Amino acid sequence: MPVHMLVVGAGAIGAFYASRLALVSGTSVSVICRSNYKAVKANGFQITSPQYGDYTFTPANTFANPDEARKSGIQWDYIVVSTKALPDVSDDSTILEGLVSDKTAIVLIQNGLGVEEPYTKRFPQAAICSAVTIATCAQPEHGRIKHNRWTRINSGPYQPHLDTGGTKTSDARVIEQNSAFIALLKEGGIKDAEAYTHAKLQLVRWHKIAINASMNPSSVLTLCSTNNTMASDTELQRHLIGVMTEILDTAPKILGQPMPKEFATPDQIIRSTQRNTSGSKPSMAIDWESGKRMEIEVIMGNPIRIARKRGFEMPRLQTLYALVRMAQEVRDKASQGSKL
């Protein structure tokens, strides 16, 4: 029997990983597209990559919306969600209604903390796999995916009950499905794919949050500065390191485990960013310049609320959160007023 996969939100990241998974014998990969539906339906995805070369990925099925996927009657083994996480705008777990069966594993390749919660509430019996990736992919045109570098992805079973209590009988199943997903990625040529435990994966999320929650809002507040520009400014360096240190000091207290020694320190992250001369900007800056909603809640708001629930405060992060959230509200109100 083939392994049936459905990728929800087949933008740059989702389409790139789908294209690698589709190369695995016995794996059938379908996608739900949004704005790029017509182009993908007609010609598939055109992938360009210095690592994997140029090739075309034609999904087994290209759906215009969740209803089409439901009407297909396919029983999905994996549903990979790679949409932008905007809980203050919409609950994307509703997209999966009628698509999740008892055997389905939901894989969340999304930025931020707390992205799993809507899915665990809506599908309490489903296996949830939480994934973090560092991959530089872009979709400059509908259906054309440009992969530049990095293909690192880590995935772990989402088992929050382990943070404060014991195991459950369902743990073995989600661990097995998570490991199988990573094995498929490896077979598809993603060498830097690794299965983590729940705790280590959440530490990875916190580590990535330390980078995103310091760089992203700081760029927006400095008129969309590049990563390199911020990391090269003496005073802004101090600020970025201070925010990252605050987050990385708080995470182990919440999860009850120390940050792995192999994880980069704030100083190492700054030095690495200084070597990045590509002119790249954080995703929030790109969204701000495009007039789009930013991933403020999952990158900043949720970490603050999770920490506060455990009795910890992160004042540096809270300041950034308050300022950027207000900036977005003021911008959106001004934009709405100009349309009246």
Side-chain angles (χ1 to χ4, degrees), residues 5-318:
M5 289 196 177
L6 176 65
V7 177
V8 178
I13 292 292
F16 171 71
Y17 281 120
S19 76
R20 305 313 304 173
L21 290 163
L23 295 174
V24 180
S25 177
T27 301
S28 175
V29 182
S30 301
V31 299
I32 296 178
C33 292
R34 292 181 176 176
S35 59
N36 57 357
Y37 170 75
K38 289 184 178 179
V40 176
K41 185 70 173 178
N43 303 304
F45 288 100
Q46 311 304 311
I47 316 289
T48 62
S49 168
Q51 184 175 356
Y52 300 103
D54 299 348
Y55 60 99
T56 298
F57 160 50
T58 303
N61 297 280
T62 301
F63 302 117
N65 51 59
D67 281 339
E68 286 191 5
R70 281 186 277 270
K71 290 175 183 176
S72 72
I74 298 172
Q75 295 290 302
W76 304 104
D77 297 286
Y78 290 93
I79 298 178
V80 180
V81 180
S82 56
T83 57
K84 182 174 290 187
L86 297 169
D88 51 327
V89 176
S90 63
D91 179 359
D92 279 358
S93 69
T94 59
I95 295 173
L96 274 55
E97 286 281 11
L99 296 171
V100 178
S101 70
D102 292 341
K103 70 172 185 176
T104 306
I106 301 171
V107 182
L108 302 174
I109 307 179
Q110 295 181 301
N111 283 330
L113 282 179
V115 296
E116 307 93 348
E117 198 62 26
Y119 296 88
T120 57
K121 287 181 178 178
R122 192 172 297 277
F123 308 106
Q125 303 306 316
I128 308 291
C129 302
S130 185
V132 174
T133 186
I134 299 176
T136 49
C137 297
Q139 186 173 206
E141 298 174 19
H142 289 331
R144 188 162 72 86
I145 307 300
K146 184 179 180 182
H147 169 239
N148 294 315
R149 58 198 291 261
W150 302 115
T151 51
R152 185 187 309 160
I153 182 168
N154 306 113
S155 182
Y158 184 61
Q159 301 165 306
H161 52 276
L162 296 180
D163 293 345
T164 54
T167 60
K168 292 183 178 180
T169 55
S170 59
D171 287 352
R173 173 194 161 212
V174 64
I175 291 170
E176 180 181 348
Q177 288 176 293
N178 181 73
S179 296
F181 178 73
I182 290 294
L184 289 170
L185 284 170
K186 285 181 175 290
E187 195 172 343
I190 306 296
K191 296 180 180 179
D192 200 356
E194 191 173 351
Y196 279 0
T197 62
H198 162 77
K200 188 170 183 179
L201 193 283
Q202 292 303 313
L203 284 169
V204 171
R205 280 200 177 276
W206 276 95
H207 188 265
K208 190 174 181 181
I209 280 293
I211 300 171
N212 285 341
S214 58
M215 295 284 189
N216 275 274
S218 298
S219 176
V220 172
L221 293 171
T222 56
L223 305 182
C224 298
S225 300
T226 66
N227 295 303
N228 178 275
T229 298
M230 292 188 292
S232 300
D233 181 87
T234 304
E235 285 303 318
L236 206 49
Q237 270 184 42
R238 288 175 176 271
H239 158 72
L240 294 171
I241 289 173
V243 177
M244 285 189 275
T245 300
E246 178 180 82
I247 295 169
L248 295 177
D249 284 348
T250 302
K253 298 173 184 176
I254 293 171
L255 294 170
Q257 294 196 30
M259 280 286 173
K261 292 181 179 180
E262 66 267 25
F263 284 14
T265 65
D267 284 336
Q268 290 171 328
I269 292 166
I270 290 294
R271 288 197 295 271
S272 176
T273 306
Q274 288 172 340
R275 294 193 294 270
N276 177 5
T277 57
S278 67
S280 62
K281 296 180 180 181
S283 60
M284 275 189 195
I286 295 170
D287 287 340
W288 176 270
E289 291 178 325
S290 302
K292 297 179 180 178
R293 297 284 292 187
M294 300 177 289
E295 291 182 300
I296 293 174
E297 295 306 326
V298 294
I299 290 177
M300 306 172 72
N302 282 354
I304 289 168
R305 286 185 285 271
I306 290 169
R308 191 170 286 159
K309 190 175 180 180
R310 299 291 186 89
F312 305 109
E313 291 291 337
M314 294 186 286
R316 287 177 178 266
L317 180 59
Q318 193 277 332

